Amino acid sequence: MTSTIFTAAHGGTAVISTRRPQPQVHRLITTHCRARRPFSVKVQRYRDRKVRSSPACAASSVEGTGKDTSTCVKLLQQAAATRSVAPKEVFSAIRKLEKEKLSADGWAEKLGGESSPGRRWQLVFTTGTKQVQDALKGGKGGGSYFPLIAAQRWDAPKQEIENGVYLGHIASISFLGPWALHSRKMTFDFKRINIKLGPWKFGFDLKAGQFGTKKAPEEGEKQKDGPFFLFIYVDDKICVARGRGGGLAMWGRTSPVWEAKAGLIQA
C-alpha cells in the first residue's frame, strides 16, 4: 500500500490516497486537470489507448524470458512506425532491454548492411541525460519523439558513418567519418561536413575538435574518448543506443521511398 499525492494544475488542492490508482484512472484525472474540456477529450482517448497498448511490457520482469523481450521490442517497433506509443512507455521498454544485456552478435551487419552505401536509419525518439538520471533515482523517466528529419547512415563494408539533418529537398547538413563496432560499443569520428542549399552543394574537411569531433591531445595528455554509442538492441526494423552523454535514442529503418521523399537521396 502506497500513498499518492495529486495536485490540480489550476488549484492548490491536494488529494492523498492510500491506494495507488490504476494507470488509466491516474492519467485521465491528470489530463482533465491540465487541459480544457474540448482538448481533454482527445488527449483522454490518446492516453487510454496507449495504456492498453503495452501492459505486458510495462509489467514484465527484466530478469525473465524471451517473451518479455519480444513484448518490449514489439512496442518499440510500433513506436518507430507510428509514433503513437506514449513516451514514458517507450522509455520504460528501452530501459528494460538495456538491463537484459542482449547479445550483440550480427549487429554490425544489421546496422550497416553487407554492401555500400549501407543502411539508413531515421532518428525517432530521444531522451535527455537528466531524464535518465531521474529514472535511476526512482523517477519515471521520459523522452520525446524527434521533431525533425534526422538520419544516420552506417556503411559496414566501408566502415563509414553519415549523420545528417534534412529539410526535404530544400537544404541539408551532414557529417561523415569512420566508425568501428566492438561488441556493443560503436566509436566514431567525423572528418567531413557536407551542406546542401537548393541546387548548391559544397563541403569541407573538418579539423580535430570542430563540431564535436575528437580533439587532438595536448603534449603529455592522454587521448580522450571521442563520441560513441552503446547499443542496446538492433534488428532489421529498429536500433536503440545510449550516447556518450548518457541519453537514449531510437532509430527506425528507412525505405528507399521515404529516403527520396525526405531528401536523403535523389528521386
Side-chain angles (χ1 to χ4, degrees), residues 132-143:
V132 177
Q133 292 175 343
D134 176 65
L136 294 175
K137 295 177 181 178
K140 295 183 178 180

Side-chain angles (χ1 to χ4, degrees), residues 13-239:
T13 303
V15 178
I16 302 178
S17 172
T18 57
R19 296 183 61 188
R20 183 180 296 276
Q22 295 297 321
Q24 295 91 336
V25 176
H26 178 67
R27 295 186 183 189
L28 295 183
I29 292 174
T30 304
T31 298
H32 280 292
C33 290
R34 289 183 177 175
R36 295 180 181 273
R37 183 174 299 276
F39 179 71
S40 66
V41 173
K42 295 181 180 180
V43 177
Q44 173 180 336
R45 292 175 181 173
Y46 172 88
R47 292 296 186 189
D48 188 54
R49 183 173 72 249
K50 302 308 170 289
V51 170
R52 291 197 304 266
S53 66
S54 56
C57 181
S60 64
S61 168
V62 297
E63 299 175 353
T65 66
K67 182 178 179 180
D68 296 335
T69 301
S70 177
T71 301
C72 290
V73 168
K74 288 179 180 178
L75 182 146
L76 295 178
Q77 290 176 344
Q78 178 188 350
T82 66
R83 299 188 177 220
S84 64
V85 180
K88 286 185 179 179
E89 294 183 9
V90 176
F91 178 89
S92 177
I94 292 174
R95 289 285 293 134
K96 290 179 188 299
L97 290 180
E98 185 174 34
K99 291 178 181 179
E100 292 190 21
K101 300 185 183 301
L102 302 171
S103 171
D105 291 345
W107 284 7
E109 290 73 21
K110 289 180 179 179
L111 286 168
E114 297 180 352
S115 61
S116 296
R119 294 179 174 179
R120 289 184 172 88
W121 302 79
Q122 181 189 10
L123 181 60
V124 175
F125 182 87
T126 61
T127 75
T129 304
K130 291 183 178 180
Q131 291 168 312
V132 177
Q133 292 175 343
D134 176 65
L136 294 175
K137 295 177 181 178
K140 295 183 178 180
S144 61
Y145 290 100
F146 198 73
L148 303 177
I149 297 178
Q152 300 268 12
R153 178 178 62 84
W154 286 296
D155 185 333
K158 289 185 177 180
Q159 293 286 280
E160 181 180 70
I161 181 176
E162 181 180 18
N163 183 6
V165 177
Y166 303 84
L167 299 176
H169 294 277
I170 299 174
S172 67
I173 180 170
S174 62
F175 299 85
L176 285 86
W179 64 272
L181 185 65
H182 305 283
S183 184
R184 61 183 63 250
K185 182 176 181 179
M186 175 185 285
T187 57
F188 59 93
D189 197 16
F190 295 121
K191 302 295 186 181
R192 183 172 177 81
I193 181 173
N194 289 330
I195 300 172
K196 175 186 175 184
L197 294 173
W200 296 284
K201 298 180 182 180
F202 55 94
F204 54 88
D205 294 335
L206 296 173
K207 297 180 181 179
Q210 284 185 310
F211 297 101
T213 58
K214 186 185 297 185
K215 295 182 179 180
E218 299 291 339
E219 185 176 353
E221 289 184 345
K222 294 182 179 180
Q223 176 68 62
K224 296 181 179 180
D225 288 338
F228 63 82
F229 292 128
L230 288 174
F231 279 94
I232 297 168
Y233 179 80
V234 180
D235 65 19
D236 290 326
K237 295 181 179 180
I238 60 170
C239 61

